[in-house]
Amino acid sequence: MPERLPVAPRWAVGALLTMTFATGLVDAVSYLRLGHVFVANMTGNLVFLGFSLAGAYQLPVVAPIVAMTAFVLGAFFGGQLSRFLGGRPRFWLGCAFACQTAGLTLTALLLGTGVLRPDGRIVLVIIALLGGCCGLQNATVRLLAPRDLTTTVLTQTLTGLTAESALGAGIGKKPHRKVGSVLAMFAGAATGGLLLQITPAGVVGLAAVLVGSVACVFALGPEPDEPTV
């Protein structure tokens, strides 16, 4: 399936790498402050639930379920947006990422004002809000169909980077995109971990600003020279 890029490829790649960085920020908040749960990486949550069946490792059970449920609902919403707005790619992507920005902004404001706190049962509300945002992001990026810029799960990216490299099968193209994706996720997680020592709300707010800039890129960026890359 060709990539459905409504903007120039370099702009799209930059935007998706920005989304990857934002994912690192958000997962830093969820894992380090919300009880060792992921809101973007559902594989990790499923593995945690499997481990929890042993009953001897004191791993969370409810939080991963809440995260996965919210993620699925967010992905469903993302699919519906694509279904009804996909014929106008710029409007669809701008709207989808604007909705994600709104969700992240709301979460940051609730954290910053103390309405929500990263402790106790109320933490499940934060997990649900962030999980829904990440589900929307994943669905939208998947339907956009970039081959090596998923913005969240990097397992396939790392596999492609090594297996398709000159030392592997030798069929890989644009390795810089895969490398950039890995570095962006690492940088986002590291930045999030550092900023969390100051303010969780600020980390989520930074993610909101970055996703909002991505919405602007896809809504207003320059037209592509070619329909596919």
Side-chain angles (χ1 to χ4, degrees):
M1 179 179 179
E3 297 179 7
R4 302 164 59 189
L5 300 178
V7 299
R10 288 190 177 183
W11 285 69
V13 169
L16 292 173
L17 289 177
T18 300
M19 293 290 289
T20 306
F21 183 91
T23 297
L25 290 173
V26 172
D27 256 347
V29 174
S30 67
Y31 190 82
L32 297 176
R33 285 297 177 89
L34 304 183
H36 292 170
V37 62
F38 291 106
V39 291
N41 181 8
M42 293 300 108
T43 302
N45 288 331
L46 193 61
V47 170
F48 287 158
L49 284 176
F51 291 159
S52 69
L53 293 179
Y57 300 104
Q58 298 182 338
L59 293 172
V61 175
V62 176
I65 293 175
V66 170
M68 288 191 291
T69 301
F71 186 93
V72 168
L73 292 175
F76 174 77
F77 178 59
Q80 291 296 300
L81 284 178
S82 174
R83 179 180 180 182
F84 292 105
L85 303 177
R88 294 179 290 169
R90 283 180 175 274
F91 184 69
W92 159 48
L93 294 171
C95 182
F97 292 135
C99 288
Q100 182 182 355
T101 300
L104 291 172
T105 301
L106 174 63
T107 306
L109 288 174
L110 292 176
L111 281 170
T113 57
V115 175
L116 294 179
R117 298 177 306 279
D119 54 55
R121 285 293 179 180
I122 198 69
V123 77
L124 296 177
V125 177
I126 307 173
I127 291 172
L129 287 169
L130 294 178
C133 289
C134 290
L136 171 58
Q137 173 185 327
N138 272 260
T140 303
V141 173
R142 179 177 177 83
L143 292 167
L144 180 63
R147 291 183 290 269
D148 47 13
L149 288 170
T150 63
T151 76
T152 50
V153 180
L154 296 183
T155 303
Q156 291 300 318
T157 302
L158 286 169
T159 301
L161 183 62
T162 53
E164 299 172 3
S165 67
L167 296 178
I171 60 174
K173 295 181 179 180
K174 296 185 174 70
H176 58 282
R177 287 168 46 150
K178 297 182 180 69
V179 172
S181 187
V182 172
L183 292 178
M185 180 70 77
F186 175 81
T191 302
L194 291 171
L195 292 180
L196 273 176
Q197 301 176 52
I198 303 173
T199 167
V203 178
V204 179
L206 175 58
V209 170
L210 294 175
V211 176
S213 69
V214 170
C216 292
V217 167
F218 280 113
L220 306 172
E223 295 284 343
D225 296 327
E226 300 177 359
T228 61
V229 296

